Amino acid sequence: MTITGKNLIAGQWTGETTNGFTAFDAQSHQAMSTTFADATEIEVNTAINRANEAFASYSQLIPEKRAQFLRTIGDQINALGDELIETACAETGLPAMRIQGERGRTVNQLGLFANLLESGEYQAVIDLADNDRQPLPKPDTRLGYLPLGVVGVFAASNFPLAFSTAGGDTASALAAGCPVVMKAHAAHPATAELVAQAILAAIEICDIDKGVFSLIQGKKYTVASQIVTHPKVKAIGFTGSERVGMILQAQMNQRPEPIPFYGELGSINPQYVMPEKLAQDTQAIAQGLVGSLVMGQGQFCTSPGLWVVIGSEKGKESNSNYQTFIDAATQSLGEQTAGVMLTPAMCKSYNDAVAARKAVAGVELLAMGLSGREQDCSAALFATDFATYENTPELHEELFGFSALIVRCDDFDQMMKLTELLTGNLTASIHALDADLDLSATLAQTLAHKVGRLIYNQMPTGVEVCASMNHGGPFPASTALRTTSVGSEAIKRFQRPICYQNMPQALLPKALQT
């Protein structure tokens, strides 16, 4: 398919590409040939206004029709074939197998919400009237849900499909009955356009108002600001850095009408290796953690960036186990090949962050992965003690990429103190044996209040798309800790409850009729 470099505004491809921006080939760091338009204020305004107009009809579309629309989007994404895979690989440097898997997850997410719509979006809550109740009769009340309105979605840099144009935020918003104005990520604009072409094809096949979806391209911060402050936008889905997320949140706070901001901002995903696990499975756990860390150059929101281990210098046995673990992890990481980051800017940011961590007093660089080309980055493994970690705030921050920090605690009490220092995270894992269960139970009780997903004896990388999944957590993992951006519950972010009292059957939604 032809890449136009333009914005998709309610079915029309518009925009001036002459003075726009280009993406970069992740492997070569060279600018790619297609120039993409920076959306104008008029184009953004038109997209949002048309979405608001489409809301009237789309919000009334029966669930079965919305389900058909979602499945058709999935079919059209699959129909893009190898062109989508090749384009995403070029723009991100991610391998074809990863992009193929992400395409499957994207289509499956759309199917999940289609299934949800067909089986009933929610369980009806119906309290029938009781005219004989004293001292006053009880009215008939029924709880339903309404879509919020136009949703602005910001694509993620690290998931060009599953968290981007037709990703989880878009899929759940459309499932909820909300039109979407999508802000593409400047790192993979051609991938975004291809998926937008698939969505447009689905809109035409299903005969839906074309205002239901628009794709906004652009690198200018004013584009993002206009979307989050526009009075007709009723919710925002965002995946990105804490810095940018907080800028957008501050701008949204100036709105006359507050709206929900569903932001996923960062996570270090702490990994706890309990004493018996450390003693008996030393090599396996060290290699497993390294394998999880280097997956995709660590550019996952669930990458394990902090490893917490007990290794007291006062106890010879525990220190010996700790040292064996360190040796195994160091050897494994030192054998890891170099790789490309998603963009040249991210490569520089990662290398700068690794250099800064090297300079922190009390932090030891244990190993670097194999070096590569000038455009490549290498994995890094650091270690420090609890006291240094406790007193060095910059060590508590996420280092985006395949770098991890091991913190040696003298005993379990220090491990618990470290847990109290944590801010919110998407995940945490406890790696343990049966002999560790008592300590693990104590740890889990506190750790559960720091994360959105608590994992036992598995690595954090990977998110299952299912009804029971929670992908969120206390700030800064997300800005709305009661919600998830993955799984069936994600649809609830873009709906609000409404109580119907004493309504005739003909005026009730089908799900609330008896």
Side-chain angles (χ1 to χ4, degrees):
M1 300 180 78
T2 301
I3 301 296
T4 68
K6 296 184 177 184
N7 304 288
L8 175 61
I9 309 295
Q12 301 296 317
W13 295 98
T14 70
E16 176 53 59
T17 61
T18 305
N19 296 314
F21 68 96
T22 58
F24 286 84
D25 184 294
Q27 293 287 348
S28 68
H29 286 192
Q30 298 299 309
M32 301 180 83
S33 58
T34 303
T35 302
F36 291 85
D38 268 310
T40 65
E41 183 177 347
I42 292 175
E43 287 171 323
V44 175
N45 222 25
T46 300
I48 295 171
N49 286 331
R50 282 288 290 110
N52 188 61
E53 292 170 6
F55 179 62
S57 61
Y58 186 69
S59 63
Q60 296 299 312
L61 209 61
I62 62 172
E64 291 77 12
K65 289 291 187 182
R66 274 184 274 151
Q68 179 192 15
F69 177 41
L70 295 176
R71 287 205 173 90
T72 305
I73 293 174
D75 292 341
Q76 293 302 309
I77 289 173
N78 281 330
L80 293 171
D82 291 342
E83 183 180 6
L84 177 63
I85 305 301
E86 293 165 1
T87 301
C89 288
E91 289 187 320
T92 65
L94 296 171
M97 185 175 295
R98 155 70 191 274
I99 298 297
Q100 290 165 351
E102 198 175 323
R103 177 179 60 185
R105 172 176 165 178
T106 303
V107 173
N108 289 341
Q109 285 176 160
L110 291 160
L112 172 74
F113 288 112
N115 291 339
L116 182 67
L117 290 168
E118 290 170 341
S119 62
E121 299 168 62
Y122 51 84
Q123 293 297 315
V125 180
I126 300 174
D127 288 318
L128 297 176
D130 182 0
N131 293 324
D132 297 327
R133 191 184 70 173
Q134 296 297 326
L136 295 173
K138 180 198 173 298
D140 182 292
T141 53
R142 306 179 185 217
L143 184 66
Y145 292 87
L146 291 177
L148 294 180
V150 179
V151 174
V153 175
F154 288 77
S157 63
N158 55 340
F159 280 85
L161 298 178
F163 278 91
S164 292
T165 311
D169 286 344
T170 296
S172 55
L174 291 174
C178 299
V180 169
V181 175
M182 159 60 63
K183 170 62 178 68
H185 199 285
H188 38 75
T191 303
E193 181 176 328
L194 285 173
V195 177
Q197 290 177 13
I199 296 174
L200 178 58
I203 289 171
E204 293 173 340
I205 291 169
C206 296
D207 193 24
I208 291 172
D209 188 322
K210 293 179 180 178
V212 76
F213 179 85
S214 290
L215 179 75
I216 303 297
Q217 301 276 17
K219 293 189 73 172
K220 296 177 180 178
Y221 287 120
T222 53
V223 172
S225 299
Q226 186 181 352
I227 293 172
V228 301
T229 58
H230 197 287
K232 291 179 181 174
V233 172
K234 299 303 180 182
I236 295 291
F238 173 85
T239 303
S241 70
E242 182 177 348
R243 181 185 67 84
V244 174
M246 287 297 91
I247 291 172
L248 296 180
Q249 178 77 86
Q251 293 173 345
M252 292 171 67
N253 289 342
Q254 303 303 311
R255 291 173 54 118
E257 177 196 9
I259 62 171
F261 177 52
Y262 301 112
E264 181 191 315
L265 307 184
S267 183
I268 58 173
N269 306 297
Q271 305 295 294
Y272 289 79
V273 184
M274 305 309 285
E276 289 300 320
K277 184 74 172 179
L278 184 70
Q280 298 187 39
D281 290 340
T282 317
Q283 292 280 344
I285 189 60
Q287 292 172 0
L289 286 167
V290 169
S292 179
L293 173 69
V294 300
M295 189 182 298
Q297 282 69 262
Q299 297 170 116
F300 284 86
C301 50
T302 53
S303 183
L306 179 70
W307 307 353
V308 187
V309 186
I310 296 174
S312 173
E313 294 180 347
K314 302 172 185 175
K316 293 182 179 179
E317 184 178 353
S318 65
N319 193 53
S320 174
N321 294 335
Y322 172 78
Q323 191 57 52
T324 303
F325 170 79
I326 290 293
D327 292 343
T330 298
Q331 179 179 349
S332 180
L333 188 126
E335 296 169 350
Q336 302 302 316
T337 58
V340 297
M341 302 292 280
L342 293 161
T343 68
M346 288 183 184
C347 178
K348 182 180 186 305
S349 293
Y350 172 77
N351 286 332
D352 289 347
V354 168
R357 185 155 286 186
K358 288 179 184 178
V360 176
V363 174
E364 177 187 2
L365 174 64
L366 296 176
M368 292 287 294
L370 299 173
S371 58
R373 306 167 307 147
E374 181 182 354
Q375 300 93 331
D376 293 335
C377 294
S378 300
L381 185 62
F382 296 88
T384 192
D385 57 19
F386 170 75
T388 301
Y389 183 83
E390 180 181 31
N391 295 302
T392 313
E394 57 263 40
L395 295 179
H396 303 185
E397 299 172 0
E398 179 184 20
L399 198 167
F400 187 74
F402 48 170
S403 174
L405 174 67
I406 300 174
V407 178
R408 177 180 57 78
C409 297
D410 287 342
D411 49 35
F412 184 69
D413 286 343
Q414 279 195 354
M415 183 177 275
M416 291 299 296
K417 289 178 182 177
L418 183 145
T419 304
E420 294 289 353
L421 295 173
L422 295 175
T423 57
N425 281 273
L426 293 170
T427 75
S429 297
I430 299 173
H431 302 279
L433 300 179
D434 288 348
D436 294 308
L437 280 178
D438 287 345
L439 293 180
S440 297
T442 301
L443 172 61
Q445 189 173 12
T446 298
L447 192 54
H449 293 282
K450 300 288 186 175
V451 301
R453 177 161 53 111
L454 186 56
I455 304 167
Y456 189 77
N457 276 343
Q458 289 183 343
M459 298 301 164
T461 35
V463 181
E464 187 69 29
V465 180
C466 61
S468 59
M469 179 50 60
N470 180 57
H471 191 65
F475 183 85
S478 62
T479 58
L481 60 83
R482 295 179 181 86
T483 65
T484 176
S485 62
V486 177
S488 306
E489 294 293 296
I491 192 174
K492 293 181 179 178
R493 297 175 298 166
F494 304 117
Q495 295 176 325
R496 67 171 180 86
I498 178 172
C499 177
Y500 295 94
Q501 182 169 327
N502 201 37
M503 298 290 287
Q505 292 287 315
L507 299 185
L508 285 169
K510 184 178 179 181
L512 296 179
Q513 294 176 3
T514 52

